[in-house]
Amino acid sequence: MSFEWPWQYNFPPFFTLQPNVDTRQKQLAAWCSLVLSYCRHRKLYTLDVLEAQESPVFNNKKIERKLSVEAIQVVFEELRKKGNLEWLDKNKSRCLIMWRRPEEWGKLIYQWALQADGKAEMITMDDGKGVKFF
Amino acid sequence: MDRFVWTNGLLEMNETLVIQQRGVRLYDGDDKECCICIPLSQVIFFEEQAAGIGKSAKIVIHLHPAPENKEPGPYQHSKYSYIKLSFKEHGQIEFFRRLTEEMTQKRWENTPVSQPIPTGIGPKAGRTRAVGIVGIERKLEEKRKETDKNISEAFEDLSKLMEKTIRFKSYLLSMGIANPVTRETHGSGTQYHIQLAKQLGDMLQAPLEERGGMMALTEVYCLVNRARGMELLSPEDLVNACKMFESLKLPLRLRVFDSGVMVVQLQSHSEEEMIASALDNVSDKGSLTAEEFAKLLGLSVLLAKERLLLAEKMGHLCRDDSVEGLRFYPNRF
């Protein structure tokens, strides 16, 4: 199934980081959801920043616009704040994309476990990424 | 009038008919006269003499002394060095204008002289050969021509200067400045700035309205100084005067944009209207650059950009910054 691009993807201003604060917030929100849905669709779990610039997500060849490296960093930072991204190295060149946040995964698995067996106990470990099954 | 020569009334080889006017009476000095011709090269200067009661309008033509080799004419000697053309049936204005044109163009200098050139001796370009009496005569002729030229050039400058002065004065009056505020009349310091502010208030109303209620301070500076001509304003004086608009309750305001651009705008000028119209224009065309917007509205690019930036600040527009340039779109986010 081909990926459905959101309307913003074909709107040239989408690829320019907006100076107006309110506009920028809306813009970044749209970028975040686009990155996550694209990664989910393509089953991508990691992203390399330099490669990302050439990826169709950040580079719309049809309208000849692409997001600058600085802007990509801003989008990634936004994703990180939301909990959807984790940097894999100190240089911030490679990252983990979690199109479902750990807590979300946890909930899903817990619910599945309940359905499956009726017995499940949630035990948190470290960052809350662990679920123990009984 | 001894400058005239007999002629058959037909055009010679190098002559063209410039203007023909009936009912023009010829006066030798102040004596009345008849049909003859004077080469235009003989004319030093000419002027109009307005009509009076019982008198027709006249053109007075001042002439060089007759050259020695002049062909015979009605009179060999005259006590006057000018003639008058009396226009009994009017037409003097057009005649004067055409005469002025011809005296400026001096076409006779481009056409070859109808005198026979002595065999064996061709005149060198720009210089005359001093050979015998012919050479001397020719030299005198050259000198006469030079003097001729200088005099008419001098008079040319004078008439141009007169024109300029009159035009300049009428421009000043059209700007509404009969007596520009100067440091002499009003001293320096706040008094000066106050008076200046008041004068600017009057002066800038019309230009501001023409330009949609806003002008960059640089435009104001140029406009005002051009009108003043002398006693020009310094930029500081202009800015200080403009800063007083509000306190003097004048209907103008000095405004500084975020980018640092300073403008003078009419107080009645509505911001919302400006932004709404900007949004309309951009939506209409899909997207606009500052240059396109400026062209559309007949504004300077600087002011057009400020308007677009303002609309962006208010959240009505968003930007597309690429190698193609900066473009503004309606904010669909």
Side-chain angles (χ1 to χ4, degrees):
Chain A
M1 199 179 82
S2 69
F3 185 69
E4 241 182 73
W5 298 101
W7 69 265
Q8 291 97 330
Y9 185 67
N10 289 307
F11 188 46
F14 193 48
F15 293 84
T16 305
L17 200 57
Q18 297 296 318
N20 180 312
V21 175
D22 298 323
T23 316
R24 181 186 291 207
Q25 268 178 352
K26 295 191 196 140
Q27 179 191 26
L28 287 176
W31 268 114
C32 289
S33 75
L34 172 57
V35 171
L36 291 177
S37 50
Y38 183 77
C39 288
R40 183 185 304 147
H41 184 259
R42 295 280 310 278
K43 301 273 191 288
L44 297 171
Y45 296 97
T46 58
L47 280 180
D48 183 289
V49 175
L50 288 175
E51 281 173 20
Q53 242 213 330
E54 295 310 312
S55 152
V57 162
F58 296 115
N59 187 346
N60 184 343
K61 291 218 164 81
K62 195 172 83 173
I63 61 169
E64 289 174 331
R65 293 286 186 275
K66 62 183 182 188
L67 212 54
S68 67
V69 178
E70 297 82 43
I72 295 177
Q73 296 280 12
V74 173
V75 173
F76 281 0
E77 177 57 22
E78 198 63 27
L79 282 167
R80 190 195 65 79
K81 279 195 255 182
K82 285 186 167 167
N84 292 99
L85 184 150
E86 250 180 43
W87 288 110
L88 292 171
D89 64 332
K90 235 188 271 184
N91 302 326
K92 295 196 182 170
S93 65
R94 206 164 171 78
C95 62
L96 191 69
I97 295 284
M98 297 170 280
W99 19 277
R100 261 202 240 284
R101 291 200 305 277
E103 310 86 71
E104 288 168 349
W105 276 119
K107 239 187 243 164
L108 277 173
I109 296 173
Y110 182 65
Q111 277 164 1
W112 169 83
L114 276 176
Q115 277 182 328
D117 218 342
K119 276 196 265 185
E121 198 180 305
M122 188 109 97
I123 298 182
T124 55
M125 283 164 67
D126 320 355
D127 322 284
K129 288 201 191 87
V131 176
K132 238 186 185 165
F133 290 93
F134 290 89
Chain B
M1 179 39 60
D2 53 354
R3 270 52 140 210
F4 286 136
V5 300
W6 288 119
T7 182
N8 60 8
L10 298 172
L11 292 175
E12 298 279 335
M13 276 277 285
N14 303 314
E15 291 173 6
T16 52
L17 176 61
V18 176
I19 183 170
Q20 204 169 27
Q21 177 62 42
R22 288 172 49 79
V24 179
R25 194 150 183 193
L26 186 58
Y27 290 70
D28 175 10
D30 280 304
D31 296 341
K32 305 182 183 185
E33 260 304 297
C34 73
C35 177
I36 35 259
C37 86
I38 296 185
L40 287 179
S41 50
Q42 293 283 70
V43 178
I44 300 176
F45 176 62
F46 55 93
E47 59 193 343
E48 290 179 297
Q49 202 173 67
I53 303 172
K55 291 188 200 177
S56 330
K58 297 183 180 63
I59 293 180
V60 184
I61 304 182
H62 298 263
L63 303 159
H64 283 300
E68 295 93 309
N69 58 347
K70 187 190 80 63
E71 292 163 69
Y75 284 90
Q76 286 309 114
H77 297 284
S78 166
K79 55 183 184 209
Y80 301 105
S81 62
Y82 64 93
I83 57 164
K84 286 187 185 181
L85 302 177
S86 171
F87 289 78
K88 298 266 171 236
E89 291 175 14
H90 304 289
Q92 72 275 10
I93 296 172
E94 184 60 15
F95 198 101
F96 187 79
R97 192 179 73 77
R98 299 305 291 272
L99 186 55
T100 317
E101 262 178 43
E102 290 304 312
M103 289 306 294
T104 325
Q105 281 176 22
K106 289 196 177 43
R107 286 192 275 171
W108 63 87
E109 286 188 356
N110 300 333
T111 56
V113 179
S114 49
Q115 289 166 3
I117 298 166
T119 48
I121 304 171
K124 289 227 166 84
R127 274 187 55 211
T128 41
R129 297 245 302 221
V131 177
I133 297 183
V134 174
I136 296 172
E137 268 189 16
R138 210 176 290 142
K139 266 225 183 107
L140 282 172
E141 182 67 33
E142 292 285 338
K143 218 177 184 175
R144 194 185 59 73
K145 264 201 188 137
E146 260 312 302
T147 330
D148 219 4
K149 220 181 190 178
N150 290 336
I151 292 174
S152 38
E153 267 173 16
F155 278 115
E156 227 174 30
D157 287 345
L158 188 67
S159 56
K160 277 206 186 110
L161 189 65
M162 287 295 295
E163 255 180 64
K164 279 204 176 123
T165 322
I166 294 168
R167 208 184 301 162
F168 167 67
K169 261 217 138 158
S170 64
Y171 183 54
L172 255 192
L173 284 173
S174 76
M175 292 289 322
I177 305 182
N179 292 314
V181 171
T182 63
R183 284 192 181 269
E184 276 118 29
T185 57
H186 288 91
S188 52
T190 15
Q191 221 5 268
Y192 171 61
H193 291 132
I194 289 174
Q195 290 305 319
L196 193 53
K198 287 186 185 157
Q199 190 173 72
L200 287 172
D202 286 328
M203 214 192 98
L204 295 173
Q205 281 284 349
L208 277 172
E209 266 159 40
E210 266 172 45
R211 289 164 177 74
M214 190 188 278
M215 273 172 76
L217 199 59
T218 45
E219 289 175 63
V220 173
Y221 178 75
C222 292
L223 198 73
V224 171
N225 276 332
R226 209 182 299 144
R228 290 181 130 228
M230 304 202 257
E231 304 281 354
L232 303 180
L233 284 182
S234 70
E236 304 88 66
D237 284 336
L238 181 63
V239 174
N240 291 330
C242 288
K243 284 182 180 161
M244 308 197 109
F245 284 147
E246 190 150 2
S247 54
L248 292 173
K249 307 260 191 297
L250 292 167
L252 271 59
R253 288 289 176 273
L254 178 67
R255 181 181 172 172
V256 186
F257 283 112
D258 298 333
S259 53
V261 170
M262 293 171 107
V263 299
V264 172
Q265 69 180 59
L266 285 175
Q267 211 198 349
S268 58
H269 180 248
S270 156
E271 191 106 306
E272 298 82 43
E273 257 181 58
M274 255 208 333
I275 294 176
S277 90
L279 182 57
D280 282 337
N281 284 315
V282 175
S283 310
D284 213 23
K285 299 278 189 240
S287 70
L288 284 175
T289 61
E291 290 81 19
E292 290 167 355
F293 190 49
K295 213 171 173 178
L296 205 64
L297 256 58
L299 286 179
S300 67
V301 179
L302 194 67
L303 288 185
K305 190 162 187 194
E306 287 304 324
R307 245 185 231 197
L308 291 171
L309 288 174
L310 201 62
E312 183 192 40
K313 198 170 167 185
M314 300 282 117
H316 298 286
L317 295 179
C318 58
R319 66 169 63 190
D320 166 38
D321 206 349
S322 67
V323 291
E324 294 172 13
L326 181 60
R327 213 163 244 290
F328 288 89
Y329 284 77
N331 188 357
R332 290 168 57 193
F333 286 114

